[in-house]
Amino acid sequence: MEDIEMKALVFERFGGPEVLIYKEIPSPELAPGHVLVRMKAAGLNYADVYRRRGNYHLAGQPPYILGYEGAGVVEEAAADAAGLKPGDRIAFCDVPHANAEFVLVPVEKAIPLPGDIPFETAAGLLLQGMTAHYLTRDSYKVSDGDEVIVHAAAGGVGQLLVQLAKRQGARVLGLVSSEAKREAARTAGADEVLLYSDRWAQEAKSWSSGGEGATVAYDSVGATLMDSFAAVRTKGTVVFYGMAGGDPAFVDPRMLMDTSKTLTGGDLWNHVTTREDRLRRANELFRWLRDGSLKLEQPRVFPLPEGADAHRLLESRQSTGKIILIP
């Protein structure tokens, strides 16, 4: 692929969706320990918005290419590519530059994609699915009888959190910002769905058994952190894993001592650290898709040249579920 051009969605300065340009750039060259993948689908995530705005550090020099999640077919494989060969279907959730026709994927991050899992499904599932997986298995292991609060329950991670918590035997209360999103959270399986209001924490406590509060709250909003503490019971847990609504307030350790409540943080990359772990989590997600205990909302699909419109939709907060870009 040396000296071959490819099309990619790039940006050369930070800003709004208008900075995104679809243009020809050099294709990556095959390197030892890697496979070159012809992309079939890429997942759009809010981290892409943060990087485009300049909120997240980006290595190298422009033009920058967004996208960390996707699926495609191996075009070329290095001699040491550990059993991967041209024609193999693979997916990934933590490889940069996915918004392009070709992506260089390290073998350790390549997830073999079974033939019955469509490329678009993999691109829409893996990053958010692995996030929901570690949150409900590692950050706080949800078990039968737990009462779980899920913030942003109509979003991509939120819908998966609802489903995995239900799969593990919990009662689930979803929190959403509109009536339209309330229906999406109910469809995902939430037992009750509340709209955000000044009184949602009190309403959540009233929903819980005996009015004592939920067992755990999964908070991806950030600015709601203290309300999450108010909504969980004595000895309850708050899992903080995002700041979509702004920075959280500082937490007084004496409050944690007085209430015996637990605050834990969550970041996917602290949990998915080896190829074996990636494969284990991905194959569990694929298995649950097959048996019907995990369902994905139909994604919104945009051609890669229309990536700016996809970013506008994501930033509008009007979308539920996943947005997919097709090279």
Side-chain angles (χ1 to χ4, degrees), residues 77-306:
D80 59 351
L84 294 175
K85 62 186 186 303
D88 285 352
R89 305 169 85 249
I90 70 150
F92 56 85
C93 66
D94 54 351
V95 178
H97 310 147
N99 290 179
E101 289 184 299
F102 293 99
V103 177
L104 194 62
V105 178
V107 169
E108 67 178 31
K109 297 184 177 182
I111 298 168
L113 185 62
D116 62 338
I117 305 295
F119 295 113
E120 295 82 0
T121 298
L125 171 69
L126 283 177
L127 194 147
Q128 294 179 337
M130 287 199 188
T131 298
H133 190 285
Y134 90 80
L135 287 169
T136 55
R137 293 300 181 98
D138 302 312
S139 297
Y140 177 89
K141 187 172 177 60
V142 176
S143 57
D144 192 44
D146 278 341
E147 294 181 324
V148 176
I149 294 172
V150 175
H151 284 267
V157 175
Q159 290 188 42
L160 295 170
L161 273 175
V162 169
Q163 293 182 69
L164 294 191
K166 290 296 294 180
R167 193 182 186 282
Q168 288 160 224
R171 287 181 72 221
V172 178
L173 172 69
L175 293 165
V176 297
S177 59
S178 70
E179 285 293 344
K181 291 184 176 183
R182 174 179 266 172
E183 186 57 34
R186 286 192 186 280
T187 300
D191 296 282
E192 181 60 85
V193 184
L194 298 177
L195 295 177
Y196 284 108
S197 70
D198 292 339
R199 289 185 46 79
W200 77 257
Q202 292 89 338
E203 292 171 358
K205 288 196 77 167
S206 298
W207 165 83
S208 68
S209 300
E212 295 180 357
T215 318
V216 60
Y218 289 100
D219 194 324
S220 59
V221 178
T224 54
L225 191 65
M226 299 316 296
D227 284 331
S228 291
F229 275 113
V232 300
R233 65 189 63 180
T234 299
K235 297 188 288 186
T237 298
V238 175
V239 182
F240 166 57
Y241 73 100
M243 296 177 288
D247 290 335
F250 288 101
V251 176
D252 184 349
R254 293 171 299 182
M255 178 274 289
L256 300 177
M257 180 180 70
D258 292 343
T259 60
S260 296
K261 293 179 182 179
T262 297
L263 170 64
T264 186
D267 185 278
L268 177 61
W269 312 128
N270 294 326
H271 293 271
V272 180
T273 56
T274 66
R275 187 171 193 229
E276 290 72 25
D277 188 73
R278 286 183 189 88
L279 296 181
R280 176 180 63 85
R281 294 182 195 269
N283 287 326
E284 284 198 349
L285 292 168
F286 295 154
R287 187 170 73 249
W288 296 337
L289 281 176
R290 290 190 191 99
D291 69 22
S293 61
L294 187 64
K295 295 181 173 63
L296 291 182
E297 182 180 350
Q298 190 69 25
R300 286 289 301 273
V301 176
F302 287 80
L304 188 58
E306 298 173 18

Side-chain angles (χ1 to χ4, degrees), residues 3-71:
D3 299 324
I4 298 296
E5 295 283 299
M6 69 173 182
K7 293 288 184 65
L9 187 69
V10 306
F11 66 104
E12 299 182 346
R13 59 186 175 87
F14 299 119
E18 70 278 358
V19 304
L20 295 169
I21 305 166
Y22 188 66
K23 62 183 288 189
E24 281 199 348
I25 63 171
S27 175
E29 294 182 21
L30 186 65
H34 289 70
V35 291
L36 190 68
V37 175
R38 182 182 292 273
M39 294 296 292
K40 298 295 185 180
L44 179 61
N45 296 285
Y46 223 85
D48 296 313
V49 172
Y50 293 142
R51 291 185 179 94
R52 190 203 70 223
R53 291 175 180 169
N55 300 120
Y56 283 5
H57 173 72
L58 282 169
Q61 299 296 318
Y64 298 116
I65 307 174
L66 295 172
Y68 275 74
E69 172 186 37

